[in-house]
Amino acid sequence: MNGVAGVAVLLQNELGEGIVWCEREQALYWTDIHASTLWRYRIDEGALDHWLLPEQLGCFALCEEDGWLLLGLASRLAFFHPASQTLTPITEVEAQQPTRINDGACDRSGRFVFGTFHEPADGGPRLPVGSFYRLNRNLSLERLSLPGVAISNSIAFSPGGERMYFCDSTTPVIRVCDYGDDCGAPRDFARIDDPHGEPDGSIVDSEGGLWNAQWGLGRVARYTPEGRLDRCIDVPASQPTRMALGGVDRSTLYITSARLGLDARSLAAQPLAGSLFAAQVDVAGLPEPRFAGPPEHVIATASS
């Protein structure tokens, strides 16, 4: 099954990313990284809200405790309570490196896995000086035993949590490793053969299929658990970034997109770039994993 996505919310996000579906709120959350803005869209009400943050928001996760999010800001992890706009820092990440936090997702055990993104000060090539990390439920931070990365992306987990997907977007390959307390040796999972495309954000559905947003190709591709391409959803913007399967039965594929780097001619050809898109699909999503570490512990510690 192939298809075409339509506009769900008309926007001009510079770098829309990181979208997740919150079943408890029946709402979508995502970030516009370069605008340092968190967005929320309640689909039943059609209500759109946003919050400006003190630095770029690369990724985030829902928390088990209602009303809280775990943020992957450019330089640090923090808890955030949108209703009160309470922001509580947890820890800095790669403070001495020319990097920022980029992609991230919770594993099936409620731990937050994320990677970093090289930002060379001289505008030179991005190098694999970043890493992948895991924030555990007790708020300890560990570096995962995975190769260095220039642009971390495609972090997702199989339905049972025994496989982790990831990529470095500077190469056209999505990789996979056995996952548990440790990471196994990475192996190639799927390759984008079009030289104009890059693998961006990914999610896994209830059948174990991996959906990947393919930057530069204007499409979202689904791969079987064996790595075979079996369907594509076209997006009316060349730079889709990440997806979430949401809605009442989790069968609406919501897709963020970006305007970043598009010149006037490109924007004229794709005026919907930066919007939130949606398409109906024939496979359901999984409940979004939530970070199991308690925000109140951090808040109590910070105020004591």
Side-chain angles (χ1 to χ4, degrees):
M1 183 200 80
N2 294 327
V4 179
V7 175
V9 183
L10 185 62
L11 294 164
Q12 292 189 339
N13 284 170
E14 185 71 6
L15 184 53
E17 262 285 10
I19 189 167
V20 300
W21 169 247
C22 178
E23 201 152 23
R24 297 176 190 175
E25 296 183 58
Q26 291 290 290
L28 294 156
Y29 284 88
W30 71 93
T31 173
D32 184 348
I33 295 178
H34 281 210
S36 304
T37 300
L38 171 71
W39 289 87
R40 181 181 66 193
Y41 179 59
R42 297 182 185 270
I43 62 169
D44 291 342
E45 307 165 15
L48 189 64
D49 300 294
H50 66 279
W51 295 266
L52 185 63
L53 296 165
E55 56 182 307
Q56 291 180 343
L57 174 63
C59 56
F60 59 91
L62 306 174
C63 290
E64 282 291 355
E65 186 174 350
D66 283 342
W68 287 90
L69 301 174
L70 170 63
L71 304 186
L73 297 165
S75 68
R76 54 188 164 141
L77 298 170
F79 287 117
F80 182 58
H81 189 262
S84 64
Q85 300 192 51
T86 301
L87 183 72
T88 306
I90 300 170
T91 185
E92 290 187 330
V93 177
E94 294 187 350
Q96 306 306 315
Q97 291 270 41
T99 58
R100 65 164 174 83
I101 293 175
N102 197 46
D103 192 42
C106 275
D107 67 18
R108 305 297 175 194
S109 299
R111 302 171 293 184
F112 187 59
V113 176
F114 65 96
T116 55
F117 179 110
H118 182 214
E119 294 190 308
D122 60 2
R126 302 193 193 281
L127 303 175
V129 298
S131 296
F132 292 93
Y133 296 89
R134 180 167 60 201
L135 183 71
N136 295 306
R137 293 181 291 272
N138 64 0
L139 305 185
S140 63
L141 184 66
E142 61 178 313
R143 183 183 180 279
L144 297 179
S145 56
L146 293 172
V149 62
I151 304 176
S152 65
N153 260 315
S154 198
I155 297 172
F157 298 89
S158 59
E162 71 284 354
R163 302 174 87 189
M164 174 181 165
Y165 300 93
F166 64 97
C167 78
D168 185 333
S169 291
T170 61
T171 64
V173 179
I174 300 169
R175 310 197 78 193
V176 65
C177 67
D178 295 335
Y179 179 82
D181 289 338
D182 299 309
C183 292
R187 53 194 184 272
D188 290 355
F189 172 73
R191 175 179 293 271
I192 298 176
D193 293 326
D194 191 319
H196 299 100
E198 299 175 8
D200 206 316
S202 290
I203 58 169
V204 172
D205 62 32
S206 59
E207 296 179 358
L210 182 98
W211 295 83
N212 177 251
Q214 300 191 335
W215 179 283
L217 298 183
R219 74 179 192 185
V220 171
R222 182 185 187 268
Y223 297 90
T224 67
E226 296 74 37
R228 176 178 57 84
L229 178 66
D230 77 336
R231 68 189 73 177
C232 290
I233 303 292
D234 291 330
V235 180
S238 63
Q239 298 175 163
T241 54
R242 197 175 192 268
M243 306 73 52
L245 279 162
V248 175
D249 57 1
R250 302 193 207 104
S251 64
T252 303
L253 189 71
Y254 292 97
I255 308 160
T256 47
S257 66
R259 298 165 63 86
L260 181 69
L262 297 178
D263 58 22
R265 184 175 181 178
S266 297
L267 289 172
Q270 44 182 305
L272 301 177
S275 293
L276 177 69
F277 299 97
Q280 289 298 125
V281 296
D282 60 359
V283 60
L286 292 162
E288 182 68 28
R290 291 172 174 266
F291 181 66
E296 70 272 13
H297 168 76
V298 176
I299 293 168
T301 302
S303 60
S304 61

